[in-house]
């Protein structure tokens, strides 16, 4: 499907303006924190910050999102007003910020979020009781960012929306980032959080409405205990394994897939369901050598470039041997049997598109419960792009079909470019399973 010419020109310009990921990841982190500070709270969702202890003494920060109202239900007027403040910045602007940040940072007033609310995302002035909601399950979410950027702060709005839209508790994981912490630190962090979730060992501070401490980005100092104290003895009871979903976008999709492989191999627990949104599953982003055409056709003009991917790989790996480790690049695994029920979502204009669909096809060879959809007009990272409302809505329609069996009928494209007169379907069933 041809992409809108004006949007394509803007993305192409942004792709050439921004520095490569290997030179800009530190500035990207700063830019992301600036963006995260402007995000308003979502009053439809309770938010708690907790920690998961690791064997090496590190405490992985987690952010837990619990829906408070049914999706589509109205809020009391006071809460609706509290959710209307703030103006999030799109991911496309986020990608450009590192190029200009050194010049403008001294002039930027880092404004705290204008939303009125406490750590739970609920207005302090609201006296109206919200209807109770019983979550349908738990989503363990691993964020994207090439293993070097991103975090629970940047993904707070997306995870809150996810919790309310899917009516599930969402646990977002702040795994340690490269290049400070190289492979396998991130996947081991994610694996251990998943193991604790399945075993019912995750500590929860502030259970029963107590105040919890805000989490800052932990790259400069590794916390070993929750800041501000609080009761850490309470835990999430061991949930029904069938109700737990591993979900990740981009590098987070890589980590979700790797955790599933690791769980199968170690035998301590076994995820039943995983969802991978434009995941990184390969290891070679040289346009001349890659077996995947999308690296060449989508690798220069759509924000995420093939050079970015090569930089991310170099910053994440500890050695050349990692490139063929299935926990590093799941597509290199010789055996993909005994994997969870899987949903793979690729994006039409993403350099990872073809490897994502190849991974789904390989899974389908040994697993008859695999679905794969290509999101038309999609570019990498659209989950965080506030202008990609149609793409996100399409994605959730597919996820609801996958998780809950809701009908999924072909629909006109509603993404960033498919409002053009020629229209076209919003998605393509790659495996033909529907």
């Amino acid at each position: 499907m041809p992409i809108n010419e004006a949007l394509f020109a803007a993305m192409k310009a942004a792709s050439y303006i921004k520095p490569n990921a290997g030179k800009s990841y530190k500035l990207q982190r700063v830019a992301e924190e600036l963006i995260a500070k402007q995000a308003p709270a979502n009053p439809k969702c309770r938010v708690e910050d907790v920690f998961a202890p690791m064997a090496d003494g590190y405490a992985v920060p987690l952010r837990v999102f619990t829906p408070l109202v049914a999706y589509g239900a109205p809020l009391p007027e006071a809460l609706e007003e509290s959710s209307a403040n703030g103006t999030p910045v799109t991911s496309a602007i986020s990608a450009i910020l590192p190029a200009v940040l050194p010049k403008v940072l001294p002039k930027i007033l880092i404004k705290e979020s204008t939303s009125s609310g406490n750590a739970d995302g609920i207005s302090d002035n609201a006296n109206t009781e919200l209807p109770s909601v019983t979550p349908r399950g738990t989503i363990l979410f691993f964020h994207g960012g090439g293993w070097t950027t991103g975090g629970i702060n940047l993904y707070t709005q997306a995870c809150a929306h996810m919790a309310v839209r899917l009516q599930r508790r969402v646990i977002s994981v702040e795994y340690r980032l490269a290049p400070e912490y190289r492979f396998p630190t991130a996947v081991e962090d994610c694996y251990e959080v998943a193991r604790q979730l399945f075993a019912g060992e995750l500590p929860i501070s502030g259970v029963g409405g107590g105040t919890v401490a805000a989490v800052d980005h932990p790259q400069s100092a590794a916390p070993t205990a929750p800041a501000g104290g609080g009761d850490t003895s309470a835990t999430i009871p061991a949930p029904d394994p069938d109700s737990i979903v591993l979900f990740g976008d981009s590098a987070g999709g890589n980590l979700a897939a790797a955790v599933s492989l690791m769980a199968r191999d170690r035998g301590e627990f076994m995820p039943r369901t995983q969802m991978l949104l434009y995941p990184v599953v390969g290891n070679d982003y040289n346009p001349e050598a890659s077996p995947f055409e999308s690296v060449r056709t989508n690798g220069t003009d759509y924000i995420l470039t093939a050079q970015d991917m090569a930089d991310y790989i170099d910053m994440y790996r500890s050695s050349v041997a990692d490139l063929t480790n299935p926990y590093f690049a799941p597509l290199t695994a010789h055996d993909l049997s005994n994997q969870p029920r899987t949903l793979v979502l690729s994006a039409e204009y993403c350099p990872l598109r073809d490897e994502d669909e190849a991974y789904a096809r390989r899974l389908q060879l040994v697993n008859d419960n695999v679905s794969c959809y290509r999101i038309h007009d999609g570019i990498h990272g659209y989950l965080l792009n506030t202008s990609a409302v149609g793409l996100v809505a399409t994605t959730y329609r597919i996820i609801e079909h996958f998780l809950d069996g809701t009908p999924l009928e072909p629909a006109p494209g509603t993404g960033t470019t498919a409002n053009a007169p020629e229209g076209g379907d919003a998605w393509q069933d790659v495996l033909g399973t529907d």
Side-chain angles (χ1 to χ4, degrees), residues 32-43 47 63 81-89 109-124 153 156-157 214:
E32 290 173 351
E33 287 303 309
L34 289 173
I35 291 168
K37 286 179 181 292
Q38 311 307 312
N42 186 331
V47 182
R63 188 157 288 167
E81 290 177 358
S82 74
S83 68
N85 298 314
T87 306
V89 184
L109 174 62
I110 302 178
K111 182 177 64 177
E112 296 297 334
S113 174
T114 57
S115 61
S116 59
N118 56 25
D120 297 328
I122 306 170
S123 171
D124 291 322
N153 291 335
T156 288
Q157 277 192 309

Side-chain angles (χ1 to χ4, degrees), residues 320-403:
V320 174
D322 293 339
L323 297 176
T324 53
N325 186 323
Y327 304 151
F328 183 96
L331 193 57
T332 68
H334 297 296
D335 180 9
L336 289 178
S337 64
N338 299 318
Q339 286 300 278
R341 177 173 175 247
T342 301
L343 172 65
V344 177
L345 293 164
S346 65
E348 182 176 8
Y349 294 106
C350 173
L352 310 180
R353 182 196 66 208
D354 292 350
E355 70 181 57
D356 293 345
E357 295 170 7
Y359 190 65
R361 292 188 180 97
R362 283 202 54 205
L363 283 171
Q364 188 187 39
L365 292 175
V366 291
N367 184 344
D368 60 4
N369 208 341
V370 179
S371 300
C372 180
Y373 297 89
R374 179 185 297 181
I375 306 300
H376 287 167
D377 304 317
I379 63 169
H380 193 88
Y382 69 75
L383 184 67
L384 293 181
N385 195 325
T386 56
S387 67
V389 175
L391 298 176
V392 175
T394 294
T395 296
Y396 278 115
R397 286 178 54 228
I398 294 171
I399 289 175
E400 288 165 340
H401 173 69
F402 176 74
L403 291 181

Side-chain angles (χ1 to χ4, degrees), residues 116-203:
S116 59
N118 56 25
D120 297 328
I122 306 170
S123 171
D124 291 322
N125 299 321
N127 297 316
T128 307
E129 289 189 11
L130 292 172
S132 60
V133 171
T134 300
R136 297 177 184 174
T138 299
I139 294 174
L140 187 61
F141 181 76
F142 308 127
H143 67 80
W147 307 282
T148 67
T149 63
I152 57 177
N153 291 335
L154 185 66
Y155 276 77
T156 288
Q157 277 192 309
C159 287
H161 177 69
M162 185 188 306
V164 176
R165 176 70 189 249
L166 299 178
Q167 292 291 282
R168 286 166 169 83
R169 175 186 291 113
V170 174
I171 302 176
S172 182
V173 181
E174 182 94 314
Y175 56 85
R176 283 172 279 188
L177 299 180
E180 294 89 343
Y181 300 95
R182 293 177 179 266
F183 178 81
T185 301
V187 68
E188 292 287 359
D189 283 351
C190 293
Y191 174 86
E192 178 57 19
V193 172
R195 188 201 65 76
Q196 291 181 31
L197 174 61
F198 275 84
E201 298 174 0
L202 282 183

Side-chain angles (χ1 to χ4, degrees), residues 3-160:
I3 197 165
N4 177 275
E5 291 184 5
L7 179 63
F8 174 70
M11 288 192 298
K12 185 173 182 178
S15 301
Y16 282 95
I17 290 172
K18 72 179 184 67
N20 291 331
K23 299 178 180 179
S24 65
Y25 70 93
K26 290 183 179 180
L27 287 173
Q28 183 71 23
R29 291 175 185 171
V30 175
E32 290 173 351
E33 287 303 309
L34 289 173
I35 291 168
K37 286 179 181 292
Q38 311 307 312
N42 186 331
K44 296 183 179 181
C45 189
R46 179 181 180 86
V47 182
E48 297 173 282
D49 288 336
V50 303
F51 293 75
M54 299 292 106
D56 63 2
Y58 183 81
V60 171
L62 311 174
R63 188 157 288 167
V64 182
F65 303 82
T66 304
L68 296 174
V69 297
Y71 176 64
L75 277 176
E77 184 176 348
L79 294 184
E80 286 285 9
E81 290 177 358
S82 74
S83 68
N85 298 314
T87 306
V89 184
T90 67
S91 59
I93 296 176
S94 169
I96 302 172
L97 273 177
V100 299
L101 203 58
K103 297 179 180 178
V104 303
L105 187 58
K107 302 178 183 178
I108 292 178
L109 174 62
I110 302 178
K111 182 177 64 177
E112 296 297 334
S113 174
T114 57
S115 61
S116 59
N118 56 25
D120 297 328
I122 306 170
S123 171
D124 291 322
N125 299 321
N127 297 316
T128 307
E129 289 189 11
L130 292 172
S132 60
V133 171
T134 300
R136 297 177 184 174
T138 299
I139 294 174
L140 187 61
F141 181 76
F142 308 127
H143 67 80
W147 307 282
T148 67
T149 63
I152 57 177
N153 291 335
L154 185 66
Y155 276 77
T156 288
Q157 277 192 309
C159 287

